[in-house]
Every structure is written in structure tokens, then in C-alpha cells.
Amino acid sequence: MAEGLSAAQARRVALAAQGFSSARSSRAQGFSSARSSRAQGSTVERPGAASERRLRTAIGRLGLLQIDSVNVFERSHYLPLFARLGAYDRAVLDRLLFTPTHPSSTGGFLELWAHEAAFVPAEDWPLFRFRHDSFREGKRAWWEQSWRDEHASIVDWLLDEVRQSGPLAASEIEHDANVRRGPWWGWSDVKIALEILFRSGELVSAGRRRFERRYALPEHVLPTAVLDRVVGVEESHLELMRRGLRAHGVGTVKDVADYYRLRDSRLAAAAMQALVDSGEAVPVAVEGWQTRAGRPEKAYLWHEATVPRTVSATAILSPFDPVVWERSRLERVFGMNYRIEIYTPAPKRVYGYYTLPILVDSEIVGRIDLKSDRQRGVLRVQTAWVESGREAETGAIAERLAPVLAEAAAWQGLEGVEISETARGTLVAALTAAVRWRA
């Protein structure tokens, strides 16, 4: 590997690829001469409410928006765009994502198992056919195939029901088995069957109402050109690795494969080699990236990646933001050991129920647990921490974070920010002062 990136450059490359960057940047071809420098002063001024076009552009850069049902602060698919664009009209995004596509429409979105469950452009459906086949054949989750075999009559009945009635939500289906029970989050047998059919591609999403997914046959919502497009397994892996590297900017084969959860390491490695051969991926050595054996980690740079001299940004990141998806990459690139503690009993939680990483410029400097308290009309800070070794920076971090929290509160339709009386963490005192000063 003749070329190299410093650890700071790699962070800036990764953030620029994800839509966090300043105007000044150098092309990838000149990255070896770039120097690390930290942006000073306030954040880049964020534009006004994002238009549909700007939201589409941002989603296009990311490639997908992961879905999660936790709503203590805000559902996860809204947060990556807020982190990058600032406050925007969520109703505009809802129209983009939840309006069902139609065989005659173009430019819509579907839900697929892309990383986890995620919104992707509807035209990308053929790229995931190999995954649908894998689910249907029981190669990814044998227990799903076993369940399906045992409940074949329900599965067949549901397919006929959707075929005859068109798109349906689970709550709209009348069947004796549509009773919540069992260990699957209390799902009914009808809901389990719908989800299995959704994973296998025999049913697809047809929008949502009140966040409840509706299910349809592919021909109900997808254009013929999308349905008829055949993409082989190798071709799918090549295209998804291409998109993953472009979205990451720089990463290992494992990093890039995880972007779309490509689990066949052989196919992923072959796809990366094809990208190297085509000149789209540039082998690089990154300072500090080492294997467990202490050898340099093989890394790859997207050939059009930019290496900003600075990144000027302040953002709170969803636990399901692509920047923090793969926890080992997060630790390697940003030095953050991060876990969400939703499933940890409250007395054993260290940082909080649903902590969000805090990005300041090109570094992740802390984490914060937020709750949209709609009864009181405030965005409540439940815990706030700086990362180990940054205790001397708490004042500066708090000053950068306070206006973002105020913006988040207004975006949520809340009257302001409140630091909980029981809030804990190394950032709480400084953040309390910064929030009061702004008030």
C-alpha cells in the first residue's frame, strides 16, 4: 500500500462521505499531503427547512434509512437527516417514505432488509433478490423455515388474502390466528407470517399508517421494469459493495460489507477486488488501523472520496446512524466504545437508556440520553457525558451542543430544553450552564 491516511484524515473522509464536511476539501488523489486541523468557532450555518429535493439528495448519499420503533426521543429514521440538514418538515419525509409506490410510479421508497429493516429506493428491490431467496430457502434463519412449514395453511391463506384484497396491515386482517401471544414481541401468528413473507420478498411494503406497515404483493406496488430486472448474486454484491464504499469513504472489506449486511465474506472480498481492478477502490494504509495480530489492516478508499482539511459540524447521532452502525468500526475510527442500554436493567445502566453519540467537528466527543417529554413540553436531558480524556473540554462541548438541543426541541414542537434534576454525567454541569445562558 503505497498511499496512507492519518487517523484524523480517515475520520474526515468518513464524515464527508456521510454528508458532514466543510467547503474546503482536497480530492482523494492528494490526500497524502493533507494536514489534520480542527475547526474552530461555531458550526456551519445550517440552511432552512429542507425541501423534498434536499431530503432525496441526502437519502441518496446514505443509500438507506434504518427503521427502529423506539420513540423516546424520535424514531431513528428521522434522525440522520436532522443531524446532517438541521430541522426539516417531517411531514415531507413521511410523504416520501410512507406513500405507497405504484406500478406506474417512479422514485418511491420501499422497506427492505437492507442493513436491518430500512427504507431504500424502490428501484433497488432487485439488488436484494438474493437475500429474499436466502430467507425463503431458510439459509439465513432456519427457524423461520421451520415456523413456516408448521404454519403453511396460514401462510398460504395470507398470500391469497393479500392477492384478493390488495395492501393490508396486520390489524386489518380478520383471522382466528390474529391474536397477540408468544415470545415474538407478542406478535400474532398472522403478524409472524406476514414478516416471514416480507423477509422473503413474497410480500413487500406498501407504505405505513400511524407507523404500522402495510403489506402487498410485489406486483401491487412495483413497476414491471423493476420486477423483471434480474440481478445475479455476484452482481448484487458488487453493486452493494460499491455503494457501501462510497457511503463509508474509507473502510475495510468487513466495514463495507456491513453497510448492506453482506455476510458472504468470499463474495464481499471478490467484489472489493473487482472495485480495485476497476480503479473505484484505492488500497490505503490508515494510521492506527491494525488487526488483532498487530498487522496493518487492509483498507480501501473510494476513488472519488474527498479529504476535507476541516469538518465543521455539531450533531447528535442516532444509535442507528450509518456513522455508528458497526461498533468495531466506530471504535477504530472514532475511538468510541458504544453500546445502547435499552435491554440493560435500569440499575445497571452506565450511560442511559438510549444514548446518542455527540459529534463535534470530526470527533465524537460524548453521548447524551434525551427524552421528548410531551406532557411537559420539553426536551429532557437525562444523562450527558464527555468521552474519557475530554473532561477539560466540557465547557466548549456544552457551548457547541446547547444550540443543537434547542433546535432539536423546536423541531420536535417542544418549548425548550430541560436538564433533569436527576441527570448524571460528566457533561451535565457545563450543559446546564450553557442551556441556562441561552434561555
Side-chain angles (χ1 to χ4, degrees), residues 95-246:
R95 287 197 298 272
L96 280 177
L97 300 181
F98 295 157
T99 301
T101 56
H102 186 272
S104 63
S105 66
T106 58
F109 291 86
L110 280 180
E111 296 178 39
L112 289 173
W113 283 86
H115 179 77
E116 295 293 327
F119 295 102
V120 302
E123 64 185 10
D124 288 350
W125 190 75
L127 291 174
F128 298 92
R129 197 186 301 269
F130 77 95
R131 181 163 294 157
H132 298 153
D133 293 344
S134 181
F135 274 122
R136 188 164 54 252
E137 295 164 5
K139 294 179 180 178
R140 289 179 65 90
W142 62 266
W143 44 267
E144 289 192 2
Q145 184 61 49
S146 175
W147 191 96
R148 180 171 181 159
D149 290 343
E150 293 175 9
H151 299 81
S153 61
I154 294 176
V155 172
D156 293 341
W157 181 87
L158 279 171
L159 284 171
D160 287 339
E161 183 71 6
V162 175
R163 185 176 293 110
Q164 294 174 22
S165 302
L168 292 169
S171 63
E172 297 173 318
I173 295 172
E174 296 184 6
H175 192 284
D176 291 343
N178 202 3
V179 178
R180 294 170 65 90
R181 57 187 173 83
W184 282 43
W185 300 278
W187 284 357
S188 69
D189 286 346
V190 164
K191 176 63 174 175
I192 294 172
L194 288 170
E195 284 297 302
I196 288 175
L197 291 168
F198 172 69
R199 287 174 183 258
S200 69
E202 294 162 271
L203 294 179
V204 298
S205 66
R208 286 184 179 237
R209 291 181 185 172
R210 295 181 294 276
F211 207 66
E212 184 182 19
R213 182 188 290 136
R214 297 173 64 77
Y215 302 84
L217 296 179
E219 55 265 32
H220 288 159
V221 298
L222 292 172
T224 302
V226 173
L227 290 171
D228 291 346
R229 183 184 170 202
V230 177
V231 184
V233 177
E234 290 82 4
E235 185 183 351
S236 292
H237 278 70
L238 177 60
E239 179 59 26
L240 293 174
M241 287 289 286
R242 175 182 288 119
R243 296 183 185 194
L245 181 57
R246 183 170 60 227

Side-chain angles (χ1 to χ4, degrees), residues 55-76:
L55 291 174
R56 283 187 179 275
T57 298
I59 298 171
R61 179 191 290 270
L62 299 177
L64 71 171
L65 289 174
Q66 187 173 335
I67 308 163
D68 188 78
S69 61
V70 176
N71 196 25
V72 62
F73 164 44
E74 180 55 281
R75 296 192 191 276
S76 65

Side-chain angles (χ1 to χ4, degrees), residues 327-343:
R327 304 307 196 227
S328 63
R329 179 179 187 268
L330 177 65
E331 188 164 6
R332 181 179 357 106
V333 179
F334 293 97
M336 184 185 205
N337 187 311
Y338 175 58
R339 301 291 184 273
I340 55 175
E341 298 176 297
I342 291 174
Y343 302 111

